[in-house]
């Protein structure tokens, strides 16, 4: 079945450490890919997106993500985490050239930042 | 900037009540969506609308209906609220101009007693 997987439910990193959040999808063709962040009690904010072209995309708040077709992955990275990055992160996909306009979301990764 | 607003941040309702959740977007987006979010389940699509008065069921439409009388407004209706509809409800909008990138409102946390 087509799906989006975020294998890490919860990650804890120290402030200043690097971060990588994993996302894998299982679709036949490359979908449009998104990362969103949700602070406690808030809606989702778009961090970055990949449609085509350069496989390394830059987003807001110092985040980047790399699309790897061979691994069906779109992992989110940040070189140095700040305490304000503590939040829940969602990977999402949208199939190209289909009638489905909605996104399919992974189940999320909650990031905790230790001082 | 895209702005999506939702009428309430928190709602407390009783079982059996009819509940209306309102969402308004100011970017003239064609598409609007309602999701519910539950711990460990991510976001699940309830309904979406691709034009005024047009709607399609999402993955979990049971117990919900929607209304879109104006392009900027999309309402989610719980005809008879039940305790298993206690959840966070998120509205989003998108446009094919932006390859359907979705922009979200702040969410409504609904508690059904």
């Amino acid at each position: 079945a087509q799906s989006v997987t975020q294998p890490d439910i919860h990650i804890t990193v120290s402030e200043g450490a690097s971060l990588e959040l994993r996302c894998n999808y299982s679709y036949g063709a490359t979908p449009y890919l998104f990362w969103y962040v949700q602070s406690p009690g808030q809606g989702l904010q778009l961090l970055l997106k990949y449609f085509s072209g350069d496989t390394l995309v830059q987003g807001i708040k110092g985040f980047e993500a790399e699309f790897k077709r061979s691994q069906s992955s779109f992992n989110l990275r940040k070189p140095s985490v700040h305490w304000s990055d503590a939040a829940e992160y969602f990977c999402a996909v949208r199939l190209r050239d289909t009638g489905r306009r909605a996104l399919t979301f992974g189940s999320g990764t909650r990031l905790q930042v230790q001082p | 900037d895209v702005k999506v607003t939702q009428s309430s941040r928190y709602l407390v309702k009783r079982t059996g009540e009819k509940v209306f959740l309102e969402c308004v977007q100011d970017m003239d987006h064609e598409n609007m969506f309602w999701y519910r979010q539950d711990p460990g389940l991510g976001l699940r699509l309830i309904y979406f609308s691709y034009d005024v008065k047009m709607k399609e069921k999402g993955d979990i439409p049971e117990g919900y209906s929607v209304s879109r009388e104006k392009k900027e407004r999309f309402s989610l209706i719980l005809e008879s609220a039940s305790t298993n509809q206690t959840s966070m409800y998120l509205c989003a909008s998108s446009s094919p101009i932006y390859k359907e990138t979705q922009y979200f409102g702040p969410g409504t946390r609904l508690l059904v007693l």
Side-chain angles (χ1 to χ4, degrees):
Chain A
Q2 298 171 334
S3 64
V4 180
T5 302
Q6 293 180 247
D8 303 306
I9 297 172
H10 190 200
I11 283 182
T12 299
V13 300
S14 298
E15 191 167 16
S18 64
L19 171 70
E20 183 169 30
L21 302 182
R22 297 182 289 164
C23 174
N24 294 92
Y25 61 90
S26 61
Y27 293 89
T30 300
Y32 298 130
L33 297 155
F34 306 84
W35 274 100
Y36 287 85
V37 61
Q38 184 180 35
S39 298
Q42 304 298 315
L44 275 67
Q45 181 182 20
L46 179 69
L47 280 176
L48 47 77
K49 55 188 182 282
Y50 173 77
F51 296 151
S52 63
D54 191 345
T55 57
L56 185 64
V57 294
Q58 302 297 320
I60 63 171
K61 302 178 188 254
F63 284 92
E64 66 179 25
E66 185 172 14
F67 167 59
K68 293 186 176 179
R69 185 189 307 274
S70 61
Q71 298 177 19
S72 297
S73 69
F74 188 55
N75 294 347
L76 182 71
R77 302 194 295 242
K78 187 169 185 179
S80 179
V81 170
H82 187 262
W83 64 266
S84 60
D85 294 324
E88 190 154 22
Y89 293 80
F90 292 93
C91 180
V93 308
R94 180 186 169 252
L95 296 179
R96 299 169 187 257
D97 304 322
T98 69
R100 182 174 170 91
R101 296 173 177 82
L103 301 182
T104 300
F105 287 83
S107 55
T109 298
R110 184 167 298 280
L111 174 66
Q112 187 173 357
V113 180
Q114 287 182 333
Chain B
D1 278 353
V2 177
K3 186 146 184 167
V4 180
T5 57
Q6 295 182 227
S7 52
S8 304
R9 294 298 304 275
Y10 302 95
L11 273 179
V12 180
K13 297 292 181 180
R14 297 211 173 271
T15 302
E17 279 193 76
K18 190 168 186 175
V19 181
F20 293 87
L21 304 182
E22 303 281 334
C23 175
V24 177
Q25 51 96 2
D26 68 355
M27 277 299 292
D28 202 37
H29 283 175
E30 292 83 352
N31 305 314
M32 295 187 75
F33 306 83
W34 277 107
Y35 295 90
R36 66 176 281 175
Q37 181 181 18
D38 301 288
L41 298 178
L43 277 74
R44 294 178 291 167
L45 180 67
I46 304 172
Y47 267 97
F48 78 94
S49 168
Y50 52 91
D51 201 350
V52 175
K53 298 191 187 293
M54 306 303 288
K55 62 186 179 185
E56 283 194 22
K57 294 180 180 179
D59 302 317
I60 52 164
E62 296 78 19
Y64 304 94
S65 63
V66 291
S67 172
R68 193 167 180 200
E69 297 296 319
K70 294 185 178 181
K71 190 174 185 180
E72 67 271 17
R73 188 179 299 269
F74 191 36
S75 302
L76 180 69
I77 303 156
L78 287 64
E79 297 289 342
S80 177
S82 64
T83 55
N84 63 13
Q85 292 178 310
T86 291
S87 187
M88 171 74 122
Y89 290 88
L90 292 162
C91 175
S93 71
S94 74
S95 170
I97 297 173
Y98 307 107
K99 291 189 169 47
E100 308 297 353
T101 302
Q102 291 192 11
Y103 297 91
F104 284 81
T108 296
R109 188 166 295 281
L110 173 66
L111 173 62
V112 182
L113 300 174

